[in-house]
Amino acid sequence: MSTKTTETGANSPLPVLLPFRIEPTRLSVPRLAPVHALLFGAGLALLAGTAWAQADAAQLSPLEVIIKWAPLLLSGFAFNIVISMVAMALGTAAGLGVGLSMLSEKPLIARSAWALTQFFRNAPWLVLLFFVMFLVPFQITVFGIKIPLPDWAKATVGFSLPVMANVAEIVRGAVRSVPSTQWEAAESLAFTPRQTMWRIILPQCVQRMLPPWMNLYSLVTMATVQASIVGVSEMLTLTAQVHTAEGGRPELFAPLYGFALLCFFLYCYPIDRFTARLERRFHIR
Amino acid sequence: MDVIPAWFQELYETTGLNFTVFYDPYDWHRYVDGLRMTCLLAVTTILVSLLIGAVGALLQTAPSRIVRSVVNVYVVVFRNTPPLVQIFFFYFGVGAMLPAGQDQFGLRQPFIDNVEWAIIALSLFAGAFNIEIFRSGVEAVPKTTVEAAEALGYTRLRAYVYVILPLALRVCLPALNNNLVNLLKTTTLAYAIAVPETLYAVKQIWSESQNVFEMMLVLFVTYGVLVGLLVWIMHRWEKALRIPGYGR
């Protein structure tokens, strides 16, 4: 008998119960190509184009408006990045300290560091920003010298508070993930606790902390636009001003804010990709 | 019942700590209305974003390439742009282009008001994160379980709804918990388009009563309680959904 296995279904000469056929469930996710970014850009351009078509021709088209004001808007964006970097630097330094305090042997220190972390982690960023903007004076006097605190400096401090709490959690998690044998080995080699931490544990933590740290940086960058709510003249504030300067035409809103979205996307998306790659590399199996 | 207002009144007279919300009924009503708005925003955006997450994770495994790329572009774009700019983009940008009616004075009356736009923008923002979270859960469902469902004759959709999603949900609950807490905190951004939520109400109170510090305290405690409540509910849910024999 030469019954072919390919002869199934209605073609089959035998009345066999065949397995239920189902479309295979594909769990893999396709990679995002630059084509998609291009499509996004094209979609925005289309949006801008249709809006312009409704206006009369004497006015600048949305694209021309964006090109005209791009230097100003991009300088605002650069300011956002400066704020995010300074906030990240301050927050990381403070967060490292708080995170290590959470691991302290002394319960009082560990408890208060934990409370600090929970407080700043669970408060909304905007509320923390208001907190710093309204409760920190606009200038402080140290030994008779008046040091002015401009808005953007206060905003930066405001952003570094939640960063501190998040970095503290990252540090704590990374230190906890180091195998305890490492601690024991260090102890048997007569390292002091301080030396163990700085020379053995923390260097191993750096690579584990890098992906979440970069994620956090991306979040901080995206949070910096909140400074516009409290009156720091960064990109979003400038966008609103440009809109007013161009006569406040309603069809300009979408292209201008779309431009801001695009700037942040182009800055944050590479960070996101790179983070994902690092995460895969340092993935603990 | 007058004990609490009287006590705060006395606190103001003796120490200068002016908690107007607790003895001034007008401020109290504003504060409660703000709180109600925050709860409305939080509950609706959480539900809608969960729906977006579940549907998006299903569509990410769709046979059609176009559908998958559309979902991916949505996720990537919304994850990598600031939520505040998204809110502005929707409220000012898209909202200004949509047709609008007129009220009795002939003023422009958009069909979607700022509260609804805030809900739409925040849901889309959190939904993008939820899709990724659900995807990680779907990927963690054992292949054999999916095959077993297929062997039992489940269609793709039914296998997803009745087998994969319930299992995936249990795996990704901790990550989901994080994202929903984050969403609750992000609702404060609705302040920027004048949605009268807690931050907005409290800001109004402190600009009138000049009690920034006290109201700031109230604000922190409010959000602390709200986040605590959400975390508690999520933990309860996590416990209720626990599969015996999995995890610790």
Side-chain angles (χ1 to χ4, degrees):
Chain A
M1 244 184 92
S2 65
T3 314
K4 278 185 195 161
T5 45
T6 49
E7 239 181 357
T8 52
N11 304 330
S12 170
L14 294 169
V16 276
L17 182 65
L18 293 165
F20 183 78
R21 278 187 64 83
I22 190 166
E23 277 287 298
T25 306
R26 260 170 278 182
L27 292 175
S28 66
V29 178
R31 290 271 180 82
L32 201 92
V35 179
H36 299 115
L38 215 69
L39 279 174
F40 176 57
L44 280 181
L46 201 72
L47 212 62
T50 50
W52 180 48
Q54 296 161 1
D56 60 283
Q59 293 168 321
L60 287 177
S61 80
L63 196 64
E64 283 166 338
V65 169
I66 287 174
I67 293 170
K68 181 179 165 196
W69 293 101
L72 179 70
L73 293 175
L74 287 177
S75 75
F77 184 57
F79 192 47
N80 277 41
I81 291 172
V82 169
I83 291 178
S84 71
M85 282 179 174
V86 177
M88 200 64 190
L90 287 176
T92 306
L96 194 65
V98 176
L100 291 180
S101 316
M102 269 202 285
L103 296 159
S104 165
E105 300 279 316
K106 298 189 180 71
L108 186 70
I109 294 176
R111 266 330 202 29
S112 46
W114 178 84
L116 197 71
T117 307
Q118 292 306 316
F119 178 76
F120 284 119
R121 245 165 67 93
N122 285 336
W125 294 47
L126 189 54
V127 175
L128 285 177
L129 194 61
F130 270 108
F131 174 69
V132 173
M133 293 309 272
F134 283 98
L135 292 184
V136 173
F138 65 95
Q139 66 175 20
I140 46 171
T141 312
V142 184
F143 304 120
I145 305 161
K146 281 186 186 134
I147 304 169
L149 286 175
D151 272 354
W152 65 268
K154 284 201 284 183
T156 310
V157 173
F159 288 123
S160 67
L161 291 175
V163 173
M164 175 188 77
N166 283 291
V167 169
E169 280 290 297
I170 292 171
V171 169
R172 192 179 65 97
V175 170
R176 282 259 182 270
S177 77
V178 173
S180 53
T181 46
Q182 292 285 326
W183 291 91
E184 287 153 16
E187 207 174 329
S188 73
L189 290 171
F191 278 87
T192 63
R194 182 184 295 253
Q195 281 175 323
T196 314
M197 189 54 101
W198 285 100
R199 300 217 166 156
I200 294 166
I201 305 297
L202 279 183
Q204 294 184 55
C205 289
V206 170
Q207 57 170 342
R208 288 158 208 247
M209 293 190 303
L210 206 53
W213 187 81
M214 280 171 51
N215 253 337
L216 184 62
Y217 175 65
S218 192
L219 282 179
V220 174
T221 312
M222 293 197 277
T224 51
V225 288
Q226 294 174 18
S228 70
I229 297 177
V230 288
V232 178
S233 62
E234 47 67 72
M235 189 178 197
L236 215 52
T237 319
L238 291 177
T239 304
Q241 286 170 357
V242 164
H243 181 257
T244 317
E246 281 298 324
R249 286 183 282 150
E251 74 271 13
L252 276 182
F253 273 125
L256 280 173
Y257 286 113
F259 181 66
L261 281 177
L262 193 66
C263 285
F264 278 94
F265 180 76
L266 291 180
Y267 186 73
C268 292
Y269 182 57
I271 299 178
D272 184 55
R273 296 297 310 172
F274 189 53
T275 310
R277 243 176 61 200
L278 280 182
E279 247 165 26
R280 268 201 296 280
R281 192 192 294 170
F282 299 136
H283 186 61
I284 306 157
R285 271 173 280 268
Chain B
M1 278 310 287
D2 293 338
V3 179
I4 295 168
W7 190 80
F8 278 104
Q9 185 89 53
E10 203 189 300
L11 188 75
Y12 176 41
E13 275 149 21
T14 51
T15 62
L17 287 172
N18 189 7
F19 286 94
T20 45
V21 275
F22 295 117
Y23 63 81
D24 184 347
Y26 181 62
D27 281 0
W28 171 249
H29 282 301
R30 263 199 297 199
Y31 170 72
V32 170
D33 283 345
L35 203 58
R36 206 175 288 146
M37 181 55 83
T38 295
C39 291
L40 174 78
L41 281 178
V43 171
T44 45
T45 51
I46 282 174
L47 292 179
V48 177
S49 73
L50 283 177
L51 192 70
I52 292 175
V55 172
L58 173 67
L59 291 183
Q60 260 193 341
T61 64
S64 156
R65 240 193 96 115
I66 298 164
V67 172
R68 279 180 310 189
S69 0
V70 166
V71 175
N72 268 316
V73 169
Y74 159 65
V75 169
V76 164
V77 167
F78 277 81
R79 269 172 64 108
N80 290 298
T81 48
L84 181 62
V85 185
Q86 288 169 18
I87 291 177
F88 277 171
F89 181 80
F90 279 108
Y91 180 60
F92 292 123
V94 182
M97 277 196 275
L98 291 180
Q102 285 186 338
D103 64 3
Q104 74 262 38
F105 308 110
L107 289 169
R108 195 168 183 282
Q109 188 75 43
F111 291 124
I112 303 177
D113 67 3
N114 54 356
V115 178
E116 285 154 0
W117 273 123
I119 290 171
I120 291 170
L122 289 170
S123 308
L124 285 174
F125 167 70
F129 283 84
N130 280 351
I131 289 178
E132 287 292 279
I133 290 168
F134 277 127
R135 182 174 64 87
S136 74
V138 167
E139 276 171 2
V141 172
K143 195 111 190 110
T144 46
T145 310
V146 182
E147 282 162 7
E150 286 175 357
L152 288 171
Y154 276 96
T155 59
R156 246 177 58 81
L157 180 66
R158 286 176 155 262
Y160 182 76
V161 172
Y162 292 115
V163 180
I164 301 173
L165 194 61
L167 286 172
L169 194 63
R170 289 159 163 87
V171 177
C172 60
L173 260 180
L176 197 62
N177 193 356
N178 258 343
N179 188 36
L180 294 186
V181 168
N182 208 4
L183 174 59
L184 176 62
K185 293 193 281 177
T186 315
T187 57
T188 50
L189 290 189
Y191 168 89
I193 54 170
V195 173
E197 42 80 54
T198 311
L199 180 60
Y200 194 86
V202 166
K203 167 94 197 271
Q204 278 186 330
I205 295 171
W206 85 46
S207 9
E208 279 166 32
S209 309
Q210 298 296 314
N211 53 351
V212 179
F213 174 71
E214 292 87 337
M215 290 316 297
M216 213 46 113
L217 273 183
V218 172
L219 203 55
F220 276 125
V221 171
T222 307
Y223 277 101
V225 169
L226 284 179
V227 168
L229 206 65
L230 182 61
V231 169
W232 182 75
I233 293 170
M234 290 299 284
H235 274 294
R236 283 289 299 270
W237 197 27
E238 222 170 294
K239 261 193 188 149
L241 286 183
R242 210 182 80 86
I243 315 168
Y246 272 85
R248 264 159 293 154

